[in-house]
Amino acid sequence: MRNLSLTKKLLLGVLAVFLIFIFIVIFVNFSAFDEELSPEVAESLKPVKMPPVNENAFFAIWGLSASNDKNVIHAGSALITRYLENKEQRDLDEITADDYTEILGGKDLDASWEDRYERCTARSEYGCMAKLAHQLSNEPIDDPRLILMLSRYEQITQMSNFQHIGHLTFVSPLPPYGLLMKLRRLKTASALNSESSSEFIQQINQDLNFWRMLLKNGNSLIDKMIAVAGIWSDLQVLSELLKNHTEITADEFQLVNTMLTPLSKQELNISEAFEFEQRAFYNTLTSIKPAQLEMAFGLSSSPIFWLMQTNATINDYQQYFIHPINRLSELSSKDFYQAINDKANCCFQELKSLSDFSPNSLYNLGGKLLLPATLIQAQDYIARVHDLNGVISLVRLQLLLKTVPDEQVEESINSSNITNPYTGEPMIYDRKDKWLGFECLNEGSFCKIKI
C-alpha cells in the first residue's frame, strides 16, 4: 500500500512539473512578449508602391489567357485588383474560378492546343526545340486562337519592364508562367523552321533580351527561375543553329557574340528574390490560420501557431536565412563553388538547430519549430544561375570554334580563356560524340552542348 501511495505521489509530481512546464511555455509566448522588428527587417517590410500598369509585363502575363476580344494588360490588371479586393474585403487569399471566368471572358480557352505539342525542358534535356520544330513542320500552326496567343507572346517579350505587387503570401496565386513557357517553345520552334538564319537569330535576340530583363527585374524566386529557363532554352537552340549551319555571316557572328555577353554581377545576384520571399513570409505569418499551416508549410499542429511570435520569427528568419543566402548570392562562381562544397559550414546550420529544446528555445517555440520547415535548398537556385552563366560561356566558345579548322578544335578548347566557371580548367570535350561541357552544380541540370 505504501508503494502504491509513493507511486501516486511520483506521478502527481511529474504531472505538476509537466503542467508548470506547459504554463511557462505558454506564458513566455503570449503575444505581449513579442519583440520589436529589427530595423533591417522593418525597412525591408515597408509598403511597396503599386507598380505601373502600362508596359509592365507582370500584368500582361496575368492577362495572357483572356478571351480574344480583351486587352491582356487590362485583363491582368483587373485580376490583380480582384485579388487585392478578395484579400482585403473577404479575407480570401486567392482569385476564385468565378473571378477568372468573369474577368478573362471564359475558361479553358486554350484547351484546343495546349496538349498538342512536344514538351521538354532544355535545362535537363538536349534537343528540345529540334523535336518541336520537326513536329511543327509536319503540323503547321493553323489554330486561330494559338496564332493570337503567339502574337500576345510577341507583345509581352517586347515589353521593357517587370514589377510585382508587394502584397503576396506563400499561398497567393501565381502568374500563368506555364502557358507563357508553352508559347515560348512554339515561337522559338517556329523561328527555327524559318529558312532565314538571320530571322531566327533576331527572334532569339528579342527573346533573350526579355528573359534577361526578367532575370534582372523579376522580384520573386519563381520570376527569376522562369527567366533562367527561358535563357537556357534560347541558348540551347542557338547552339543547335551554330552546330547545323556551317557558315554564318560576319553581321550574324557579331550579333550572336553580343547576345552571349556573360551575366552581369546584378543578374547573377538573386538575393533580391529571397528578400521578396521574406516579405511574403511575413505577410503569411500575419494572416495565416492554424488550419492553413499544413497547406503552406506541411505543418498541421495548432500548438505551433499558438506558440509563435511573429516578429521574433521573422527576425530569426532574417538572421539565419536571409543573411547567409545574401552572402552566398554575392559570391563569384568560383567562390560560390568552394562555399557550397564546404559541407561542415554550408548551409543554414544555425537555422536547422533553432528548435533544440534548450531553455533558450522555449521563447517563440512555435516559430523555431516552423522555421526549419520553411527551409529550402536555396543554394541550388543560386547554383542554377551560375550554371546558366557557364552555358553562356559554352555557346560563346562554340561560336569562336566556328572560325577554327576541325583538326585544331581540341587544342583551341584546351588553350581558350573560356574555361570551366568553377575550376578554371578547360571545358570538357568528348572528341567522339562532339559534346562540350562542364559539370553542373545544380543537380538535374544539363551543362553540355554539341558542336
Side-chain angles (χ1 to χ4, degrees):
M1 185 68 90
R2 180 179 296 177
N3 289 339
L4 184 60
S5 176
L6 181 59
T7 300
K8 285 182 178 180
K9 289 180 180 179
L10 287 173
L11 289 174
L12 288 172
V14 170
L15 179 61
V17 170
F18 177 73
L19 292 175
I20 291 170
F21 173 79
I22 294 297
F23 173 78
I24 292 172
V25 171
I26 293 174
F27 180 77
V28 300
N29 286 294
F30 283 166
S31 58
F33 296 125
D34 197 1
E35 61 194 41
E36 295 291 326
L37 289 173
S38 74
E40 187 178 8
V41 171
E43 179 66 27
S44 72
L45 297 178
K46 283 184 177 178
V48 174
K49 185 179 179 181
M50 275 291 288
V53 173
N54 291 331
E55 283 305 302
N56 187 345
F58 171 75
F59 292 105
I61 293 170
W62 265 107
L64 180 59
S65 57
S67 60
N68 295 7
D69 60 325
K70 292 185 179 291
N71 177 289
V72 292
I73 295 178
H74 295 164
S77 177
L79 280 175
I80 294 303
T81 299
R82 180 64 57 83
Y83 166 68
L84 295 175
E85 289 172 353
N86 287 346
K87 276 194 73 175
E88 294 166 7
Q89 299 173 16
R90 301 170 60 192
D91 196 24
L92 194 64
D93 194 2
E94 64 176 287
I95 303 170
T96 69
D98 288 342
D99 292 334
Y100 280 112
T101 301
E102 174 195 339
I103 294 171
L104 297 179
K107 62 180 181 179
D108 300 326
L109 298 175
D110 296 292
S112 63
W113 64 266
E114 276 199 89
D115 296 323
R116 191 187 306 168
Y117 299 99
E118 284 273 356
R119 297 184 183 184
C120 73
T121 305
R123 191 175 57 80
S124 56
E125 303 174 59
Y126 183 78
C128 281
M129 287 302 106
K131 296 179 202 173
L132 184 53
H134 178 71
Q135 182 182 1
L136 290 181
S137 66
N138 295 323
E139 304 173 39
I141 295 172
D142 57 6
D143 185 314
R145 171 67 179 181
L146 178 53
I147 292 171
L148 171 68
M149 293 299 286
L150 289 171
S151 70
R152 287 178 172 178
Y153 176 83
E154 181 90 7
Q155 175 190 355
I156 289 172
T157 56
Q158 290 175 353
M159 293 181 174
S160 58
N161 188 29
F162 184 98
Q163 187 184 348
H164 240 295
I165 61 172
H167 303 72
L168 304 182
T169 71
F170 279 179
V171 294
S172 297
L174 298 173
Y177 280 132
L179 179 60
L180 184 72
M181 299 306 275
K182 289 176 184 177
L183 292 169
R184 178 196 59 74
R185 290 194 292 271
L186 289 167
K187 189 74 173 178
T188 306
S190 297
L192 188 58
N193 280 340
S194 168
E195 294 181 0
S196 168
S197 60
S198 178
E199 180 182 318
F200 171 77
I201 291 171
Q202 291 290 347
Q203 169 64 38
I204 294 299
N205 185 42
Q206 178 178 307
D207 231 42
L208 275 172
N209 286 337
F210 174 77
W211 296 119
R212 289 187 73 149
M213 181 276 291
L214 182 59
L215 179 61
K216 180 180 176 182
N217 294 353
N219 309 92
S220 72
L221 194 54
I222 192 169
D223 297 338
K224 294 189 182 295
M225 291 304 104
I226 288 292
V228 167
I231 297 169
W232 205 303
S233 182
D234 283 344
L235 291 172
Q236 189 181 100
V237 74
L238 187 60
S239 173
E240 291 177 29
L241 176 79
L242 295 175
K243 171 181 173 290
N244 295 326
H245 285 66
T246 55
E247 294 184 6
I248 60 174
T249 68
D251 288 344
E252 290 172 345
F253 185 98
Q254 185 59 44
L255 176 57
V256 172
N257 192 48
T258 302
M259 290 160 58
L260 296 172
T261 303
L263 296 179
S264 67
K265 187 174 181 181
Q266 184 178 0
E267 290 169 323
L268 276 172
N269 186 342
I270 62 169
S271 58
E272 174 195 9
F274 299 110
E275 292 170 359
F276 184 86
E277 301 295 328
Q278 177 181 246
R279 177 187 296 277
F281 184 33
Y282 181 76
N283 290 340
T284 303
L285 293 179
T286 56
S287 61
I288 199 167
K289 298 175 177 61
Q292 295 173 311
L293 273 176
E294 184 171 9
M295 180 173 64
F297 304 110
L299 297 170
S300 57
S301 176
S302 293
I304 287 179
F305 178 86
W306 298 114
L307 299 177
M308 182 172 62
Q309 306 280 20
T310 300
N311 290 355
T313 300
I314 204 68
N315 285 344
D316 283 346
Y317 187 79
Q318 173 84 17
Q319 181 177 352
Y320 298 117
F321 178 74
I322 295 296
H323 285 170
I325 201 63
N326 282 355
R327 287 193 292 269
L328 285 173
S329 296
E330 293 168 354
L331 298 176
S332 67
S333 293
K334 289 181 179 179
D335 290 341
F336 177 74
Y337 172 74
Q338 293 175 356
I340 65 171
N341 279 293
D342 181 4
K343 302 302 182 184
N345 297 304
C346 187
C347 302
F348 317 113
Q349 303 299 330
E350 291 178 294
L351 189 149
K352 293 175 185 177
S353 61
L354 279 177
S355 55
D356 57 6
F357 292 100
S358 66
N360 289 334
S361 72
L362 296 183
Y363 174 71
N364 189 31
L365 180 59
K368 288 169 181 171
L369 290 170
L370 174 63
L371 283 175
T374 69
L375 185 60
I376 57 174
Q377 292 294 100
Q379 64 272 24
D380 289 349
Y381 294 106
I382 301 173
R384 199 175 294 180
V385 184
H386 285 286
D387 285 344
L388 172 65
N389 203 33
V391 174
I392 293 175
S393 295
L394 278 180
V395 183
R396 190 153 49 93
L397 179 55
Q398 179 186 15
L399 177 66
L400 297 176
L401 291 174
K402 297 285 288 183
T403 64
V404 174
D406 289 347
E407 63 273 14
Q408 295 178 18
V409 164
E410 189 165 8
E411 178 186 346
S412 298
I413 292 170
N414 291 332
S415 61
S416 175
N417 61 0
I418 301 177
T419 59
N420 183 309
Y422 306 119
T423 65
E425 298 174 353
M427 296 292 190
I428 301 168
Y429 178 57
D430 180 342
R431 188 188 306 111
K432 178 183 177 183
D433 295 322
K434 306 297 183 182
W435 286 108
L436 181 68
F438 62 94
E439 186 174 347
C440 293
L441 283 187
N442 182 235
E443 187 176 350
S445 294
F446 191 79
C447 297
K448 289 182 181 180
I449 58 173
K450 275 210 168 187
I451 63 173

